[in-house]
Amino acid sequence: MAEESPDEVGRRTYHLEDITVTARGVPAPASLTPGGIGVVKEDDLREQGGSSVVESLARIPGVSRSNDSPWSADVIIRGMTRDSVVVLVDGMRVNMTTDINGRFGLVPAQQIERIEVLKGPISALYGSGSVGGVVNIITKGGSFTDTPQWRGGAGISGTSNPAGGSLSVSLGYSTPSSWVRGSVTSRDHDDYLDGDGDRVENSQYADISGSLAGALKWSDEHQTALSFSATQARDVGIPGTGTAPLPVGAYVTLTRNDSKRMEVRHSFTPSGSLLLESSLRFGYQFIERKPRIDHFPSGPVTRIEPWADHETVSADWRNRFGLGDHLLTVGLEAWNWHMTSGREKKLKNGSFLKDKPTPTTTQHSLGAYMEDDWSFAPKWVLNVGGRVDQVSIDNDETATVQSGSRDDVSWAGHLGLTHAIFESWSLTGLVASSYRTPNILELFKNINLGGGVTEIGNADLEPERSIFLETGAHYAGRTLGADFSLYANFVDDLIVSAPVSPTLCQMDNVSSAEIYGAEAAAQWEFMAGWELFGNAAYARGRDVGAGEPLRFIPPFNALAGLRQTLENGFWWSGETVMVAGQHETPEDVEHSNFHALFNARCGFGFEASGFKHDLGLTINNLLDRQYASYLATSRGVDLMEPGISVVGSWNVSF
């Protein structure tokens, strides 16, 4: 091969390894972090042009998309989803118990700086629900600058499928001792079309989001940051999906899905001390959800309007110490989640019925945690973590549920080992255990499923408990990065709906689950400006109690692509996404077929008149393939995914 010229060498971008904070509470490179992680950056979200952030998350091997709606699909991490995956926004837990999820619609992509994913219970920092993993959405903020500066930007995008677009504006000001930043984003999209050109009814959405954040540096050692954000979503369609057993043909629409989030964080970074940093965070979050269920094909009911308000107050005190060969993180976390709900039914005779299928409930959690990175020998690092939580739940009496309370004391822990065998090679291993406390619905619901069948909660449920194993090999070179991992997750006391009689089902700890898998990813800049990238993931899971495969195990999937970046700021990429058929399914779930998608992207970045411009064009599902995702949460229908979609964007910043 001919030797590269100095210009070609200068054009090399070099492989930059992902650095995460979520996994250990301190910045750490991926190759030296026991357990699987993934990162989605701001550029990734913009270039991939998806209608939700979950589409970008699904490019991480081991992370899949479960289609509730284009506005807010959910994630499946190595076969675990919903309440088995903790979702954070800037480190604050999103508490919301509902069969139709909405966590990933609360923050638009335009306001996100990066997303960090933990694949499995690889960290003891996060308590209940981390048996499947953690997703931390980190929003854009500001920074202190040596001189006063104004910074801002605007972005506009248009999408052909679903037809619609978005508009975002941001403005910030910074000094050596302070900064402030505000932003507004609006999105509006119609129903999407599938690969045959047929409209997928009730898949529209519209929302508007705003944020305001700032920070003050009191001294070299003390600084305080404040933030406020709000989202209002209206008429969000759920196209034929939802885990609630409703009649085929009934529409589910989020007529209102609003959220407000406030946070105050103070950090203390002394010099010349064993204490490297101490931070104290207070947070408040309020989520208001009002679904509407209508278009019933038969029966006396014409419309059902449930509602729920979720209020969470939280605090976290985290401290980092440098103790020779030890980097120690210890802290306390507390949160209080209060949920009120109700339901109204409109009958064909014009009358209304009101009830409370779920009682007003308050959940308290108090936890103490610890993480220690110990460099006990050259090229060897031992990571040990542990957490103990007390979780108490109190509920009010309703017509169908007695008042009561319960207390659980649970623990999580892990032991990880990293060996840097060569300059760029490392081996990792991890043993971990985590738990999931039963949610409010599982404990206290009393819901009429139709057909004379009622499903009730169980106040005596035990927390689910997992044992997790993972080993990996990692290479982090200048132009090549590669990762390979094997994992197993064993979950006991799995909570499922168990039949008690022909007319009654009750939640119970009657099962256990076993999930196994392997993942690989690589990124290689084989010559200046040219990059090959790809990944693959395989998983198998079984419900041991039922003696059948688990429902949300993704089929084998792989991604492969090529990207070129030119000297003039122009870049292009092409890729294929392949998903095998899933034939290991529960008895009442249909098999799925193989499908392959092709996506193409290009962009151009340049500066003019003191502004930086980024133009982008994305074509997803280039061949307009008709396909259905096995992981869609459908109600007895095959929910078709979007056909060809063209996204154009223009972003300006200064």
Side-chain angles (χ1 to χ4, degrees):
M1 179 182 295
E3 185 175 346
E4 293 179 335
S5 68
D7 287 342
E8 290 175 316
V9 173
R11 285 172 52 203
R12 280 195 177 274
T13 56
Y14 296 117
H15 170 69
L16 298 178
E17 187 178 7
D18 287 329
I19 304 294
T20 69
V21 178
T22 306
R24 298 291 168 244
V26 296
S31 62
L32 299 180
T33 302
I37 64 173
V39 176
V40 174
K41 304 181 182 69
E42 177 185 356
D43 290 346
D44 301 327
L45 293 168
R46 183 175 64 250
E47 293 178 4
Q48 288 151 18
S51 58
S52 76
V53 298
V54 177
E55 294 181 32
S56 294
L57 288 170
R59 296 170 61 85
I60 299 172
V63 181
S64 303
R65 173 176 172 267
S66 176
N67 187 13
D68 281 342
S69 74
W71 180 72
S72 183
D74 209 336
V75 297
I76 298 171
I77 301 179
R78 294 175 170 177
M80 306 293 286
T81 187
R82 298 194 182 275
D83 289 321
S84 295
V85 174
V86 173
V87 175
L88 312 170
V89 178
D90 294 327
M92 187 189 307
R93 179 186 290 255
V94 178
N95 282 324
M96 184 167 55
T97 295
T98 175
D99 288 332
I100 301 172
N101 215 296
R103 299 181 293 185
F104 290 97
L106 299 178
V107 185
Q110 293 85 346
Q111 296 182 10
I112 296 174
E113 179 179 304
R114 61 193 279 116
I115 307 175
E116 298 182 353
V117 179
L118 311 185
K119 296 185 284 186
I122 70 173
S123 175
L125 297 178
Y126 300 105
S128 175
S130 61
V131 292
V134 177
V135 180
N136 188 13
I137 300 171
I138 301 169
T139 62
K140 296 178 181 178
S143 61
F144 303 108
T145 54
D146 294 336
T147 59
Q149 294 182 10
W150 286 96
R151 292 192 178 276
I156 186 170
S157 68
T159 306
S160 68
N161 186 25
S166 67
L167 174 66
S168 63
V169 179
S170 66
L171 182 64
Y173 180 73
S174 60
T175 73
S177 60
S178 64
W179 63 261
V180 62
R181 183 183 187 275
S183 66
V184 176
T185 300
S186 177
R187 303 183 294 179
D188 193 345
H189 289 82
D190 296 333
D191 292 339
Y192 69 82
L193 307 179
D194 64 20
D196 284 343
D198 295 327
R199 183 175 300 278
V200 177
E201 298 290 341
N202 200 40
S203 59
Q204 76 290 332
Y205 66 93
D207 65 9
I208 184 169
S209 302
S211 67
L212 181 64
L216 182 64
K217 182 185 292 186
W218 304 94
S219 67
D220 290 339
E221 295 183 340
H222 291 272
Q223 59 180 270
T224 303
L226 300 91
S227 65
F228 171 81
S229 64
T231 296
Q232 289 186 344
R234 296 290 184 271
D235 196 31
V236 176
I238 312 297
T241 63
T243 56
L246 298 169
V248 174
Y251 280 17
V252 181
T253 306
L254 293 175
T255 60
R256 185 169 185 169
N257 198 106
D258 298 348
S259 71
K260 299 179 181 66
R261 182 174 59 88
M262 292 175 283
E263 182 182 72
V264 179
R265 186 189 301 264
H266 183 83
S267 60
F268 171 53
T269 54
S271 58
S273 170
L274 296 178
L275 176 64
L276 303 179
E277 181 182 22
S278 180
S279 65
L280 183 61
R281 175 185 60 80
F282 295 98
Y284 174 82
Q285 178 181 258
F286 185 82
I287 300 174
E288 181 182 8
R289 293 171 59 83
K290 291 187 176 181
R292 181 186 68 238
I293 308 166
D294 55 10
H295 291 82
F296 287 95
S298 61
V301 178
T302 62
R303 186 175 72 240
I304 300 176
E305 294 184 338
W307 61 270
D309 294 339
H310 305 267
E311 185 179 45
T312 301
V313 180
S314 62
D316 187 13
W317 181 34
R318 183 170 297 183
N319 303 274
R320 289 195 295 125
F321 298 89
L323 306 173
D325 294 331
H326 295 263
L327 181 59
L328 182 66
T329 300
V330 295
L332 295 172
E333 182 189 30
W335 49 267
N336 184 88
W337 170 21
H338 182 71
M339 187 189 88
T340 58
S341 64
R343 182 173 60 180
E344 181 179 270
K345 297 180 181 180
K346 181 180 179 180
L347 305 181
K348 289 182 178 179
N349 61 12
S351 61
F352 292 86
L353 298 176
K354 293 184 178 182
D355 64 354
K356 282 180 65 68
T358 305
T360 298
T361 306
T362 301
Q363 182 170 337
H364 317 270
S365 176
L366 176 63
Y369 57 82
M370 177 276 296
E371 291 267 357
D372 180 29
D373 276 319
W374 176 25
S375 301
F376 65 93
K379 300 183 178 181
W380 289 88
V381 178
L382 183 67
N383 180 267
V384 180
R387 178 176 177 128
V388 177
D389 289 275
Q390 181 182 30
V391 180
S392 61
I393 302 176
D394 302 289
N395 73 291
D396 296 339
E397 184 175 0
T398 70
T400 55
V401 177
Q402 296 295 318
S403 63
S405 62
R406 58 172 287 154
D407 291 280
D408 292 313
V409 176
S410 295
W411 61 272
H414 71 264
L415 178 66
L417 185 65
T418 301
H419 178 37
I421 54 177
F422 302 113
E423 179 181 357
S424 301
W425 281 96
S426 64
L427 300 176
T428 58
L430 180 77
V431 179
S433 182
S434 187
Y435 71 97
R436 182 179 77 84
T437 299
N439 66 39
I440 293 170
L441 288 179
E442 291 166 337
L443 291 169
F444 302 122
K445 67 181 173 182
N446 190 308
I447 299 175
N448 186 347
L449 302 181
V453 179
T454 299
E455 185 175 67
I456 62 174
N458 183 351
D460 296 323
L461 288 172
E462 295 294 327
E464 295 179 347
R465 164 67 57 183
S466 77
I467 300 296
F468 182 81
L469 307 172
E470 183 170 353
T471 184
H474 316 275
Y475 180 82
R478 293 192 306 164
T479 59
L480 174 65
D483 298 277
F484 176 77
S485 61
L486 298 170
Y487 66 88
N489 199 358
F490 306 94
V491 184
D492 289 327
D493 290 325
L494 196 67
I495 299 172
V496 298
S497 178
V500 177
S501 70
T503 60
L504 181 66
C505 294
Q506 184 178 35
M507 308 306 295
D508 204 354
N509 299 104
V510 298
S511 191
S512 60
E514 298 178 353
I515 303 173
Y516 306 88
E519 296 162 3
Q523 180 179 334
W524 177 34
E525 188 181 14
F526 59 93
M527 61 183 296
W530 289 86
E531 180 183 79
L532 286 170
F533 57 90
N535 62 59
Y538 172 85
R540 279 292 178 267
R542 190 162 186 82
D543 183 330
V544 178
E548 63 181 14
L550 288 172
R551 168 64 180 92
F552 288 109
I553 299 298
F556 172 81
N557 57 90
L559 180 151
L562 173 67
R563 177 182 174 120
Q564 183 188 18
T565 303
L566 303 178
E567 293 183 22
N568 61 3
F570 179 82
W571 62 269
W572 67 269
S573 70
E575 67 183 29
T576 179
V577 179
M578 296 164 286
V579 180
Q582 179 60 283
H583 303 291
E584 297 289 331
T585 66
E587 183 177 347
D588 59 342
V589 177
E590 293 291 331
H591 296 177
S592 66
N593 299 319
F594 167 86
H595 67 264
L597 306 178
F598 295 90
N599 306 317
R601 303 182 178 92
C602 65
F604 181 50
F606 63 96
E607 293 187 7
S609 303
F611 293 88
K612 180 182 177 183
H613 299 258
D614 286 292
L615 301 175
L617 180 66
T618 297
I619 306 177
N620 291 318
N621 194 0
L622 183 63
L623 302 183
D624 206 16
R625 176 69 185 269
Q626 172 82 330
Y627 72 103
S629 171
Y630 169 72
L631 301 173
T633 53
S634 60
R635 311 192 297 265
V637 297
D638 289 328
L639 178 62
M640 294 295 110
E641 296 291 327
I644 186 171
S645 175
V646 180
V647 184
S649 63
W650 178 24
N651 292 275
V652 181
S653 60
F654 65 91

